[in-house]
Amino acid sequence: MSTLHLHIDPKQLAARAEYATSSAKAALDDAIDLDESRDELIAQRAHEIELRRLALANADDMVAGFHSAVDTNAQAIRTAFVTGDLMTLGRIADVLIRAYIKTDSEVESIEWLERVEREAGLFGEQS
């Protein structure tokens, strides 16, 4: 029966562990940086879309803004309408429409980036 003798060098073992830890940390840092860059790109694109849509102010955004109202908004709208407070009604409309456009622009921006990433992936596969 033969006996297997292993020699473990503590310095080599420590160096390998340190290398593995450093590699894992670097990979994590890269992933975090990529995610932050992606979030910044989405935010920048969403802001551009929002500004364009606010400038155009199309009817679909106006109607969708009102459709986005929740029950608490509905009560405030009703009160302003019944009392004839057009200033308040106008402010509520402005807030609802701007909030809708902002939220929808963020969604549009995410969809845009996902489409770009998907198309880039297809392009990368062809080469």
Side-chain angles (χ1 to χ4, degrees):
M1 184 177 302
S2 66
T3 304
L4 182 62
H5 293 282
L6 294 175
H7 174 69
I8 299 175
D9 182 359
K11 288 182 182 178
Q12 186 179 27
L13 187 60
R16 286 184 182 193
E18 185 177 329
Y19 175 78
T21 302
S22 295
S23 296
K25 184 181 179 325
L28 179 61
D29 289 345
D30 289 346
I32 290 170
D33 289 345
L34 182 62
D35 196 43
E36 288 173 354
S37 295
R38 187 177 192 278
D39 289 347
E40 289 171 6
L41 182 59
I42 288 170
Q44 178 184 359
R45 178 72 173 150
H47 183 68
E48 292 168 359
I49 293 169
E50 180 183 359
L51 291 177
R52 177 179 45 84
R53 288 174 67 177
L54 286 170
L56 295 175
N58 70 47
D60 291 339
D61 285 335
M62 304 297 139
V63 172
F66 277 107
H67 277 277
S68 70
V70 292
D71 289 339
T72 54
N73 301 129
Q75 183 57 40
I77 292 168
R78 181 186 175 288
T79 301
F81 179 76
V82 169
T83 61
D85 187 353
L86 297 180
M87 290 293 284
T88 300
L89 192 59
R91 285 188 206 114
I92 293 169
D94 184 64
V95 168
L96 288 172
I97 292 165
R98 287 177 187 277
Y100 167 77
I101 288 174
K102 180 175 182 58
T103 301
D104 197 54
S105 295
E106 291 167 358
V107 170
E108 188 177 332
S109 177
I110 291 168
E111 290 171 349
W112 165 80
L113 186 56
E114 288 172 349
R115 192 170 48 252
V116 167
E117 290 170 340
R118 191 172 44 253
E119 290 173 4
L122 292 174
F123 179 75
E125 291 173 9
Q126 293 176 351
S127 36

